[in-house]
Amino acid sequence: MLHAKGPLLTVDVSDRTAIRTDIDDVLEAFVGGRAVATALAHDRIPFDADPFGPENRAYLSTGPLQQSRMSFTGRMNMTALSPLTDGLASTNAGGYLSRNFVDAGISTFELVGESDELLLIHVTDDGVEFEEVPELENAPVPEVSAHVAETRELGPEHCVAIGPAGENLVRFASVMTYDSRAFGRGGLGAVLGAKGVKGVTFSGDATPEIEIPSEPETAIHREAATTDDIRKRQGTTAGTEFRNENFSLPTRYFREYHFEDAASIGGDAVERKKYKKGSCSACAFACKLPLRDEETGFETEGPEFETTFSFGSLQGVGDLLDVMKANELCDRLGMDTISAGVTVAAYLDSEAEFGNAELAQELTEKIAYREGIGDLLAEGVDRCHEELGVENYTVKGLEFAAHDGRVLHGQGLSYAVANRGADHMYSVMLRLEYSGDVDPEGTLGKAETLVEQEDHAAFRDTGIVCAFGGSYVTEEYLEALFDADYEELLSVGAETVIRERHFNNRRGFDRGDDELPYELPDLEAAIGEYYEARGLTEDGTVPEGSVEPVAPSAD
Ligand code: SF4
């Protein structure tokens, strides 16, 4: 099977050492990306680790396709123990990092330890350099990029960085690359912050050789370049109005299902403000959204659909410029726009301040620096809802994405059982339910489909293929690219989901954590069906003895 190549580079910031370890066996079995990072994290992070402790490990990893010239591959995976969910979290960002990362001659990067000084780490094919950067304390992300450009002559496409939110241990801090692309969910920015790492650069000229079959590569690239898919113009915001009218666009902290100003923040409104194309490396689909407000001259990249929900409808804000400003703030300060927006919406609910965009932006700043009320909100909804006196719209501590499980019941089931909580990317059941391929009503009889969707998504994040490539990178193309049956690819995904769950089980997660803050028809029985289809015990745990260690020892 096609797989990523190159050693694991472990950087320990406690003693400023770096070692390269051969992980060919792991790469052969787990391909790359999320599967490899999960296998390593499972075996090398102690089950009782503190997410903010030196023993937590953060992984960046590529798949083999990050060395192709194929569209939908400009992405990378990041995995660590999450300070928000307290379980393993993998998150995925676009941009241009992946090609520069592999040039350093590695497949996987592992960060461990804790530094007293704020550090930038520079990884090249020649070695690793540690730079103390006290002058970058609490610097927004673009200032880190400016520093790297000035001192190293490297652009933001070589860099991952955290903003003040990561340094101040905001539980939903993101890790940013290319200034505007986020490893968003699960608070992995705070993991870097706890380690005293402001950023890492990757460069070199030692790309491991991988032979990618050219026929599917070329065909997919041609389709991406020539299709007139609306998402090339509107990105993820395409379909906002359709969802609002026919399904749900959660509004005013989930109190309502439809937003009266959806047209002002939806796909058409976004397209009107788009002033140029935006993409990730090698991708001709170019779905990104550089926006400009002509009246004020304000520019930002995005918002994506999830941000028009979290800082728009969910806060009762119907002005796209306000959503753009909040989006820009989150990128600069280094925060997940979904969790930040949902948490701010919870506060607006508690103060009866829906629609107050100015207050929302003020709160966003305060969260990043943990100032005043921001200190409480920086903990996320699960930890602050009681004090605010609002409903707890999270699963396993992760704030909900926009796609509404109260209406798309299979997606609701997915949120309940997903190892990383209310994350819409964990299975993407929502697509089948929006399209009508699966009836959105009811939870029973959907477990087999959900398991397959989870396995597919886990492999997608392993290969790595962008979620937008779904209808272009077909099963047949995947088989040709990876030289394997689709069933084999799914089994890599399945093994990844099981290892995540096993790790979380060992931290105390069980059936009691697979729950929703709202009722769905037959949910308990449907969760039982899921456990059976996934091969879990009735308590939602992985059967004893079914997971063996595969990674080199960390000792
Ligand atoms: S489809 Fe969009 S998000 Fe995905 S790799 Fe291409 S430009 Fe990036």
Side-chain angles (χ1 to χ4, degrees), residues 107-173:
S107 65
T108 313
F109 174 76
E110 178 185 58
L111 190 62
V112 65
E114 193 174 69
S115 166
D116 292 337
E117 308 294 333
L118 193 62
L119 293 177
L120 277 180
I121 299 166
H122 303 289
V123 177
T124 69
D125 44 348
D126 265 350
V128 175
E129 213 183 302
F130 299 87
E131 179 190 358
E132 292 183 6
V133 285
E135 68 276 24
L136 291 180
E137 190 180 329
N138 272 331
V141 171
E143 285 181 27
V144 184
S145 300
H147 174 89
V148 168
E150 197 183 313
T151 56
R152 303 273 156 172
E153 295 184 358
L154 293 174
E157 67 276 13
H158 288 268
C159 196
V160 292
I162 60 168
E167 284 183 69
N168 295 315
L169 308 188
V170 174
R171 286 187 188 269
F172 43 83

Side-chain angles (χ1 to χ4, degrees), residues 212-247:
I212 315 279
S214 64
E215 214 173 295
E217 183 186 48
T218 310
I220 290 164
H221 200 61
R222 191 182 302 119
E223 282 184 55
T226 54
T227 177
D228 65 353
D229 193 319
I230 189 173
R231 296 175 302 171
K232 288 172 84 169
R233 304 196 311 272
Q234 301 187 355
T236 48
T237 63
T240 305
E241 296 90 332
F242 169 80
R243 291 173 203 136
N244 186 52
E245 279 155 31
N246 297 287
F247 293 93

Side-chain angles (χ1 to χ4, degrees), residues 424-447:
H424 63 298
M425 301 305 290
Y426 201 80
S427 76
V428 208
M429 274 294 279
L430 55 100
R431 278 206 196 121
L432 300 177
E433 297 193 318
Y434 280 137
S435 67
D437 289 345
V438 169
D439 183 354
E441 191 63 36
T443 56
L444 287 177
K446 294 182 175 178

Side-chain angles (χ1 to χ4, degrees), residues 303-367:
E304 299 288 344
F305 168 64
E306 291 295 340
T307 316
T308 65
F309 140 80
S310 63
F311 276 97
S313 62
L314 206 69
Q315 298 181 8
V317 170
D319 184 332
L320 183 55
L321 178 58
D322 284 326
V323 183
M324 286 166 64
K325 286 179 180 170
N327 182 74
E328 179 69 9
L329 267 180
C330 286
D331 285 354
R332 284 177 59 76
L333 301 170
M335 282 190 285
D336 173 28
T337 60
I338 300 177
S339 288
V342 174
T343 308
V344 168
Y347 180 83
L348 297 181
D349 189 1
S350 73
E351 296 291 311
E353 284 281 0
F354 285 128
N356 190 341
E358 209 173 303
L359 176 60
Q361 287 158 36
E362 202 181 297
L363 291 166
T364 305
E365 288 249 21
K366 284 187 170 164
I367 290 171

Side-chain angles (χ1 to χ4, degrees), residues 72-75 94-95 181 278-280 283 285-288 466-469:
F72 307 113
T73 61
R75 301 194 71 89
R181 312 294 170 84
S279 191
C280 302
C283 188
F285 197 74
C287 75
K288 303 315 289 181
C466 177
F468 258 22

Side-chain angles (χ1 to χ4, degrees), residues 45-58 80-88 113-114 169 171 186-195 383 503 507:
I45 301 173
F47 292 131
D48 62 354
D50 173 357
F52 292 137
E55 66 277 21
N56 193 4
R57 290 168 186 258
L81 171 58
S82 161
L84 189 62
T85 69
D86 205 42
L88 270 192
E114 193 174 69
L169 308 188
R171 286 187 188 269
L188 304 196
V191 175
L192 262 62
K195 296 190 178 308
R383 292 171 175 84
F503 185 94
R507 290 182 69 77

